[in-house]
Amino acid sequence: MSDPLAQYRKKPVGAVGETTPPKASNEYVAFDAKDRVERLKIRLANEAHRSPRYGDLLDISYDGPFGTNFVLTYSFMILVLVEGRNLQPVIAALQMSTAEFIQEFDGDKWQKPADEKAPFIESIKVVSQQGGPSLPQNGKSGNERAQGRSLH
């Protein structure tokens, strides 16, 4: 009797018919997406990489249909400024929390992609905001009374 689930069972290392994992590509890709992602890997060309949780992402600001830049705002006072071209698919993957990584182009590692319509990240800048958000000019917070009436 044949096992209909045999193709899905784990096989011991070195078993006959085992497929080898695909080799890493030497071509630049701006991002990759998966179904379930908890952290976004931010790969900078000449600095340490970062891996913030999607749960800490507060906002994505972008330039609409142009696809040349976007800003990720995180709850722990960090902004990630990204510039490039054809970034609409990257933005869509970030909005759905499916982007596994975004990576800055590094001319020392890769040649520029031949496809002019492919997403391309020219620069990624990670900026820490010192001291947190600024207070309103009048010094009152949004929870204080306004014009003698309670907001609650």
Side-chain angles (χ1 to χ4, degrees):
M1 178 174 186
S2 68
D3 183 4
L5 300 176
Q7 66 183 6
Y8 302 106
R9 299 189 196 285
K10 291 184 179 180
K11 295 180 176 86
V13 177
V16 177
E18 182 179 338
T19 59
T20 58
K23 294 182 180 178
S25 174
N26 290 332
E27 295 180 19
Y28 169 76
V29 291
F31 80 110
D32 192 18
K34 289 188 174 182
D35 287 340
R36 184 181 168 130
V37 181
E38 290 188 32
R39 292 182 173 272
L40 172 66
K41 296 175 187 116
I42 301 171
R43 300 176 182 169
L44 304 171
N46 296 318
E47 295 180 34
H49 298 352
R50 299 182 83 93
S51 187
R53 291 179 332 115
Y54 268 107
D56 293 322
L57 180 61
L58 296 176
D59 190 28
I60 304 170
S61 304
Y62 56 99
D63 62 349
F66 301 107
T68 60
N69 64 73
F70 60 88
V71 177
L72 306 176
T73 305
Y74 285 93
S75 62
F76 41 88
M77 297 175 283
I78 291 202
L79 297 174
V80 179
L81 312 166
V82 180
E83 295 180 323
R85 64 177 185 262
N86 306 319
L87 298 176
Q88 296 91 336
V90 181
I91 295 164
L94 289 165
Q95 289 172 329
M96 294 184 296
S97 300
T98 58
E100 179 187 20
F101 69 85
I102 58 174
Q103 70 183 350
E104 183 177 23
F105 177 75
D106 184 352
D108 295 336
K109 291 181 185 177
W110 305 290
Q111 292 183 1
K112 282 202 173 189
D115 184 2
E116 288 294 318
K117 295 188 180 201
F120 183 80
I121 296 176
E122 294 172 7
S123 71
I124 299 176
K125 294 179 184 119
V126 178
V127 179
S128 296
Q129 294 178 330
Q130 298 298 323
S134 60
L135 290 173
Q137 293 296 332
N138 64 5
K140 294 183 180 181
S141 71
N143 292 333
E144 292 184 33
R145 294 177 185 250
Q147 299 176 358
R149 296 177 23 196
S150 174
L151 297 176
H152 298 283

